[in-house]
Amino acid sequence: MPGGTGRERPLTLAFQTPRNSAQAQKSHWCECTDDHSKIISYRNLTTSGRLSAVYANYYIVVHNPIKKSNIKHDCLCRSIGVSNFLVDHLEQLKEDCRITPHVNQVEYHPFQRPQELVDYCRSRNIVFEGYCPLAKGEALSHPNIVQLAKKYGRTPAQICIRWSIQNGIVTIPKSTKPKRVQENCQVFDFNLEKEDMEFLDLMNINKKLIHLTYPLWKG
């Protein structure tokens, strides 16, 4: 990052195989240096065997803002995305780069609902993708969510995911257990009532569970 030595930052790829099927996401680490053009490229990942797909539909560039990247021009990817970019970062990216990101991947759950950022992304046709929808499990035992789970005959996780989806958020819950993965997918056969959506909206306390140190960008 600017003014410092190289540090590792997580780099996320999302790709489809075949092109029409559901997406899978995979994380890689890259060495971020002052020379941002040296960010690891998709072509290098494929030739090194770290990524087996032959085409990237979505390439999530970084989990912390950097000034710019030539990834879309340097490799075989259709769309480029970012993660954890705030409004200020997206505004500066608009000044520094020719490409508008297709996706912004940001923490989103009942305790952390950055509506200003969601509205900004929508105004620029950037898909807002919410990760950590269960608040690292903290939401699952909250009395309000447990109460709604009983009302709808669902699990607390399904209530959180359904709330996020009804707010128009592309929601990406994470689990390594097949039973939980299946449970997380069973959220499209019911709707939360308007008053319950508003009830959950009011739980927002701007509580971030993923703490990031943003680098100085300008200068």
Side-chain angles (χ1 to χ4, degrees):
M1 295 302 163
T5 59
R7 292 183 293 172
E8 288 188 332
R9 299 291 185 193
L11 190 68
T12 302
L13 293 175
F15 54 91
Q16 291 184 325
T17 308
R19 297 277 301 280
N20 311 348
S21 65
Q23 291 185 11
Q25 292 193 347
K26 189 170 185 177
S27 294
H28 290 278
W29 289 84
C30 70
E31 186 73 12
C32 294
T33 66
D34 291 343
D35 184 357
H36 302 306
S37 66
K38 291 183 180 178
I39 292 177
I40 191 166
S41 72
Y42 174 85
R43 190 179 303 279
N44 289 339
L45 287 173
T46 56
T47 55
S48 68
R50 293 170 64 189
L51 183 65
S52 59
V54 296
Y55 183 90
N57 272 2
Y58 292 98
Y59 196 109
I60 306 299
V61 183
V62 290
H63 282 254
N64 272 4
I66 59 173
K67 189 171 182 181
K68 59 186 176 181
S69 173
N70 293 320
I71 290 174
K72 185 171 182 180
H73 298 287
D74 292 344
C75 64
L76 299 172
C77 69
R78 185 181 70 185
S79 303
I80 198 165
V82 294
S83 185
N84 299 315
F85 274 43
L86 306 179
V87 172
D88 288 345
H89 301 129
L90 292 168
E91 277 290 299
Q92 189 169 348
L93 188 67
K94 183 169 63 173
E95 296 177 8
D96 293 341
C97 299
R98 294 174 296 166
I99 299 171
T100 298
H102 283 68
V103 175
N104 188 17
Q105 194 180 88
V106 180
E107 179 181 349
Y108 189 95
H109 48 76
F111 310 132
Q112 169 66 12
R113 188 171 67 93
Q115 193 59 42
E116 180 184 358
L117 180 57
V118 172
D119 292 340
Y120 176 88
C121 288
R122 287 174 178 166
S123 72
R124 295 194 54 208
N125 293 319
I126 300 171
V127 175
F128 187 100
E129 189 174 89
Y131 68 78
C132 200
L134 309 182
K136 288 192 169 182
E138 289 188 21
L140 303 183
S141 58
H142 192 282
N144 293 355
I145 295 172
V146 172
Q147 175 186 336
L148 289 178
K150 292 178 180 178
K151 173 181 176 179
Y152 288 92
R154 300 285 173 159
T155 66
Q158 289 171 330
I159 295 297
C160 291
I161 294 168
R162 185 65 209 175
W163 166 80
S164 181
I165 290 171
Q166 282 186 225
N167 274 332
I169 306 301
V170 175
T171 307
I172 47 173
K174 176 183 177 182
S175 179
T176 59
K177 299 179 180 178
K179 182 180 178 180
R180 297 298 185 197
V181 172
Q182 184 177 16
E183 174 189 307
N184 292 341
C185 292
Q186 295 172 340
V187 293
F188 298 101
D189 57 349
F190 77 103
N191 285 292
L192 298 176
E193 298 173 4
K194 181 180 179 182
E195 56 268 30
D196 293 329
M197 288 293 296
E198 294 172 349
F199 181 57
L200 291 173
D201 286 348
L202 292 174
M203 289 179 59
N204 177 47
I205 53 175
N206 298 318
K207 181 181 180 179
K208 288 187 177 182
L209 300 174
I210 308 298
H211 299 287
L212 302 168
T213 301
Y214 289 104
L216 295 176
W217 196 342
K218 294 186 177 181

